[in-house]
Amino acid sequence: MAYDKFDILTSSAVPLPIENVDTDQIIPARFLKATERKGFGDNLFRDWRYNQDNSPKSDFVLNNELYSGKILVGGKNFGSGSSREHAAWAVYDYGFRCVISSFFADIFRGNCLNIGVLPVQVSPEFLQKIFDAIAEDPKTEFEVNLAAQTVKILTSGEHESFDINDYKKGNMTNGFDDIDYLLNIKDDIQQFAKSRPF
Amino acid sequence: MSSGKTLFDKVWDSHVVRQVEDGPDVLFIDRHMVHEVTSPVAFLGLKNRNIRVMHPEKTFATADHNTPTINQHLPVADPLSANQLKMLEENANEYGISYWGLGHEKNGIVHVVGPEYGITLPGATIVCGDSHTSTHGAFGAIAFGIGTSEVEMVLATQCIMQPKPKSMRINITGELQYGVTPKDVALFIISQLTTSGATGYFVEYAGEVFRNMSLEGRMTVCNLSIEMGARGGMIAPDETTYHYIKGREFTPKGAAWDTAMNYWQTLYTDEGAEFHKELTFDGSQIEPMITYGTNPGMGMGISNDIPNAEAVQGGAATYRKSLQYMKFDEGDSMLGKPIDFVFLGSCTNGRIEDFRAFASIVKGRQKAANVTAWLVPGSHKVEAAIKEEGILDILTSAGFELREPGCSACLAMNDDKVPPGKLAVSTSNRNFEGRQGPGSRTILASPLVAAAAAVTGKVTDPRELMEMETA
């Protein structure tokens, strides 16, 4: 499924300074019964966000009006555990287009790239600066520039570069997905398939 | 000096259709397993693009994640679950994919039935929209979990696009102590590496401990590779592997077997091949393991005390938050803690060997009155073996009931949910907050530890019960 092109994102950010945030927290398994990709944002971080009687937990960041924006900032090893792409869908559907962390779990990172959420990996030191800047002023804006591969704290001007391979960068910039690419080399794949022993 | 190739390199490189410049490899997939939860949106994608499944004969579907474990002969009561199962059946029929749904004799957990029917083969690339696909690495396959966008890619083109992971070899030398199972070996490794210590890597497990391990045990170890962040784990095939796969329904036969064997016998890491990272542990130092926190890296030998926050890797705040959720304190012993639930099953420990181990402890004893136990075989084939081997009689005499196959309380998508605040000893793979039901608390352990807890009603070192038998 093609998605919106990613260029430069300027936004405030929502901080979640917790390590090892697993995809069961991002979207609990009981919400994986859908057969279409819609409405997952309502259940993003469901059990951290709501009490069991469905009342909002006032101390959770998504229920705090001070914090908003299209960038989610998480602690180290964000997105570990289950391969459920629903976690990335929930992040996207809620309105985030970028997740910043000092370390991502592999499958979650790949899922994000496949659906148009940009995972930005920064150093632990720069991640701390981002958390500090938000703590100082929740309205602090950040600029994520895909072409330049930089993330900048706009109030202080401090910035850091991040890695993304040229292929994925091209996809994100143009809103392409891998299936478009693979379908274009279908003949090569069919030829290759003939060489497999089983 | 140029060195040899690793097992991982050999299998990966032989599946690369092309390399994208400054991008991922296009990797050909030999086997694609599909289940009801992560596939519907992928099939929808095919319909929207108006394309067919490229290789339905390499694709296998089973219902497992979202199925009841009692009364499977009745219609599924939850309308959302019923709809998801119906969608999988319709999609399988429409695209000509083998489908082993509820009630089918081959039904079971995708990572249990794949090996049972010879779908899983050495040297193959195997993917499924489930992170525990790493299980199949036990056969010397490259197997890993993928997201739904990738499920759609494989359905459409039999390929995915992945950068090649780095390689790591973990050697476990020596001999395991009595009462130490493959689950303990895996939980030990994860406790050493942490829940993210192998992220970015594909792991090869090597050394005497794995050479001497049954294929079921190897599956348990490879299954848990993802819990330290690894993309997957694999073990070079050997006689144990060939003996396991020979004669199974989808295993090559006759001349095809001989051809395959010629290939399989090349699947080992060459002398001198280099890994990005290599670790060695002494297997004789591993004791039965238990977790105390909310990720599988938070584990320790069962006789140890819960470490202090300052003594562990990672942030102290996150660590304390985790213990607070579990209602445990730094310095606590886990032994003697009263428990409420026991779950034996899942793609990690739902095989016949796991039921044999559980039965060896509960035999001649009784389930503790304060414990609710869910014993869920990984497949109908496992269920049949439990009955044939007389294990069901042992379980029944001890006050346990056997349920029907499925993922069950491992992820609690069905009704098998541990209630809020209750403590479960589980042979599954994840102790995340709420994993077994909102507010549930999970201790991960081996089938032996689970059995010891089930009959004593508290966390108990299984070796105490095993020694009683031999005394």
Side-chain angles (χ1 to χ4, degrees), chain A residues 1 19 22 24-25 32-34 48 81-83 85 106 111 165-167 177 180 186 188-190 196, chain B residues 15 18 22 30 49 54-55 78 84 130-131 147-149 157 161 200 315 318 413 430 432-433 435:
Chain A
M1 174 165 136
E19 296 176 12
D22 60 75
D24 272 81
Q25 308 315 316
L32 308 185
K33 296 182 180 184
W48 285 354
S82 158
S83 61
E85 193 166 299
D106 279 337
N111 287 341
N165 69 53
D166 279 353
Y167 168 79
D177 66 19
D180 299 331
K186 212 172 161 180
D188 284 7
I189 295 170
Q190 287 292 37
R196 295 300 307 150
Chain B
H15 286 83
R18 71 158 69 173
D22 195 23
D30 293 316
R49 292 175 202 257
M54 189 187 254
H55 286 285
D78 176 355
Q84 215 169 39
D130 184 276
S131 60
T148 296
S149 294
T157 69
M161 302 184 72
T318 297
M413 272 192 82
R430 287 183 176 138
F432 297 151
E433 284 183 32
R435 170 77 176 185

Side-chain angles (χ1 to χ4, degrees), chain A residues 42-61:
Chain A
D42 293 342
N43 294 313
L44 176 70
F45 293 113
R46 179 80 200 190
D47 293 336
W48 285 354
R49 200 167 142 199
Y50 296 102
N51 293 303
Q52 270 151 26
D53 65 2
N54 292 329
S55 60
K57 292 186 179 179
S58 56
D59 60 349
F60 188 62
V61 68

